[in-house]
Amino acid sequence: MGNSKGRAIGAKILHDREIEQSLPTYGKLKEQIEAVRPVAADYKQRLQKYAQDEFVMPQVINNFSILGSRGTGKSSILKTLYQYLQAQNTDPTDFKKQKNILLPSIVPENLVDNISLMGCILGLLKETVDRISDTQENHNSFCPSQPCPLKKKYNELMREFVQLQQPYEQISVQQFSTNSEYTRTITSMLEAGNQFTVQFRHFIDELLSEYADDALLFIFIDDIDLSTNRCGDLVKTLLSYLSHPAIVTVLAGDISIFGEALTLDFLHKEKIPDSEYLQNSYLVEKTQYGHDTAEEKMLERKKQLAYEYLKKVMPPNNRHSIVNWSLS
C-alpha cells in the first residue's frame, strides 16, 4: 500500500564514502537522530509517573528532510539509513532489546485515492501490532482468552479512525428517525477528531512500552513533491498526529517543488476563481516595523503561507541537501 519498492528504481545501499560525497551532512543526520533518544526516554519515564489522561504531552516535531532534485539519489540514502537503523536492532526476537520500530517507506503518489497518509501508516503498523500480539499470546498460552493490551488499543484506534472518514456535512437528517438520534450522531463525529488524536498518542505510548527505553518509531516518506493533491494531507498528518517525542519522520523530496505544490493546494482549497484574482492587492500590517501597512498580492500571501508551513514541516536545522556534482 505504501511501499516505495515500485518507485525506488535504481535505489541501492550506499557505502560510507559514496553517501558522504552526495550528502556531506549524513553523519550529522545520524547524530541528530541519536539526540532524539534521550528526550524520548525521558518522556517515557515521566509518563510512568502520571496517568495518561493527566499527563500533558509536549508537541515535538522530529522531522528530518533529505532534499534534492529528481535522480540525485534520495531513495538510495533513505534505503541506506533504513539499513543502518535496522542493524541497531541486535536481537530481533527480543522486543525489549530493539531500539527502532521501522515502517516500510511510503510514497504518497502510490497511495490509492481513498487512502489517506494516516490510513496508510495505521495499516503499516498492524504488522508490528500482530507480531507483538502473537508473541504475547505464545507466552500466555495458559490464558489464551486474555487480550493483548496493544492490540486492544489498536482496534479502538481504528474504530475512531473509521468514524472520521465520513464528513459530517454529508449526513442528512432524513437518514435518521428522530432529531435526537441525528444530533447524537453528529456530536459523536465531531468528538471523534479530538478523540482520535488522543487515542493515537495512547496507542504509540503503549507500543513503545514494548521496546527499549530509548526506542523510536521511524516513518519514511519518499517523493513528497510528486503529488500536489497530497500536500494538505501530508502537512496535517505530520503536524497534528505525528508530533510525538518518540516518532521520527524522514522526508525526501525537492523542497522548491513541494513549496509550489503547497501553494497550489492553498489556492485550490480557497477556490480562487481566476488568475487575475491572484494579482489583487490587499493591505497587510507589517508588525515587524511597528504598525505600518503595505500592499501585498494574493499570490505572494499564499507563497508566504506555504513558506511558513515548510518551516514547521521541514525545520531548517533538520534539512540535509544533496550535492549536485557536475562533470566539471
Side-chain angles (χ1 to χ4, degrees):
M1 180 169 55
N3 200 314
S4 63
K5 189 175 180 181
R7 292 288 317 171
I9 299 174
K12 62 179 182 178
I13 304 296
L14 301 175
H15 298 294
D16 289 345
R17 186 174 179 181
E18 291 175 316
I19 203 168
E20 287 171 3
Q21 287 178 341
S22 60
L23 189 69
T25 59
Y26 181 63
K28 181 182 178 182
L29 170 60
K30 292 193 290 186
E31 290 175 2
Q32 288 178 320
I33 290 175
E34 292 304 316
V36 177
R37 294 192 190 279
V39 178
D42 178 68
Y43 163 76
K44 289 176 68 175
Q45 290 176 359
R46 288 187 290 122
L47 185 63
Q48 293 173 358
K49 297 179 181 179
Y50 304 91
Q52 281 185 323
D53 294 333
E54 298 174 358
F55 183 75
V56 179
M57 187 189 78
Q59 186 179 30
V60 181
I61 299 176
N62 299 316
N63 294 347
F64 300 92
S65 49
I66 298 171
L67 307 175
S69 55
R70 298 290 297 163
T72 53
K74 298 184 297 296
S75 296
S76 293
I77 293 174
L78 283 184
K79 197 170 185 178
T80 305
L81 179 61
Y82 190 99
Q83 186 195 54
Y84 162 77
L85 295 169
Q86 194 172 45
Q88 291 182 335
N89 291 336
T90 53
D91 186 358
T93 61
D94 188 349
F95 292 109
K96 287 296 184 182
K97 293 183 180 179
Q98 294 185 32
K99 300 176 64 175
N100 304 316
I101 308 169
L102 302 167
L103 299 186
S105 185
I106 300 169
V107 179
E109 188 189 33
N110 289 351
L111 301 180
V112 295
D113 292 339
N114 62 336
I115 297 295
S116 65
L117 178 59
M118 195 64 217
C120 176
I121 292 172
L122 291 175
L124 295 176
L125 282 167
K126 186 179 186 302
E127 182 180 348
T128 302
V129 172
D130 288 342
R131 281 204 318 267
I132 294 174
S133 177
D134 292 343
T135 302
Q136 290 185 357
E137 288 176 1
N138 290 334
H139 289 166
N140 299 327
S141 55
F142 60 90
C143 187
S145 61
Q146 186 68 21
C148 170
L150 178 64
K151 194 166 190 176
K152 183 179 178 181
K153 282 192 180 295
Y154 179 79
N155 292 335
E156 292 172 354
L157 180 66
M158 289 303 299
R159 281 194 292 270
E160 294 290 346
F161 182 72
V162 171
Q163 188 85 2
L164 290 173
Q165 299 313 295
Q166 184 179 7
Y168 66 89
E169 312 92 41
Q170 296 180 7
I171 298 180
S172 171
V173 69
Q174 282 77 22
Q175 296 176 239
F176 301 89
S177 57
T178 64
N179 286 336
S180 60
E181 184 183 355
Y182 171 76
T183 302
R184 283 197 302 271
T185 302
I186 292 296
T187 302
S188 175
M189 295 187 70
L190 291 173
E191 291 175 350
N194 292 330
Q195 283 298 319
F196 175 76
T197 303
V198 174
Q199 293 278 26
F200 182 71
R201 186 197 77 189
H202 290 176
F203 165 75
I204 294 298
D205 293 340
E206 184 73 30
L207 173 65
L208 290 166
S209 69
E210 301 290 337
Y211 289 80
D213 291 340
D214 59 349
L216 300 173
L217 169 63
F218 287 87
I219 299 173
F220 299 85
I221 307 178
D222 199 2
D223 292 335
I224 62 172
D225 53 308
L226 291 187
S227 297
T228 304
N229 61 330
R230 291 281 182 180
C231 287
D233 180 33
L234 177 64
V235 169
K236 178 182 178 181
T237 302
L238 290 172
L239 299 183
S240 299
Y241 304 136
L242 303 183
S243 56
H244 188 286
I247 295 180
V248 173
T249 308
V250 185
L251 311 171
D254 188 323
I255 191 171
S256 60
I257 296 178
F258 183 72
E260 291 174 2
L262 196 56
T263 304
L264 290 173
D265 184 64
F266 289 148
L267 296 173
H268 175 72
K269 286 181 177 178
E270 295 191 18
K271 299 179 180 179
I272 305 300
D274 52 50
S275 58
E276 292 183 2
Y277 188 73
L278 297 177
Q279 302 304 318
N280 290 348
S281 297
Y282 299 85
L283 286 178
V284 293
E285 185 175 345
K286 301 292 184 179
T287 54
Q288 184 179 0
Y289 306 101
H291 293 282
D292 297 332
T293 58
E295 287 193 352
E296 197 171 83
K297 296 186 183 301
M298 170 67 76
L299 181 58
E300 294 304 316
R301 293 177 66 186
K302 297 308 173 189
K303 286 182 179 179
Q304 183 62 31
L305 181 61
Y307 174 74
E308 294 299 326
Y309 268 94
L310 280 177
K311 288 197 297 185
K312 293 182 178 181
V313 174
M314 301 178 182
N317 289 340
N318 295 347
R319 295 177 186 176
H320 299 268
S321 299
I322 294 177
V323 175
N324 283 325
W325 293 97
S326 63
L327 290 177
S328 60

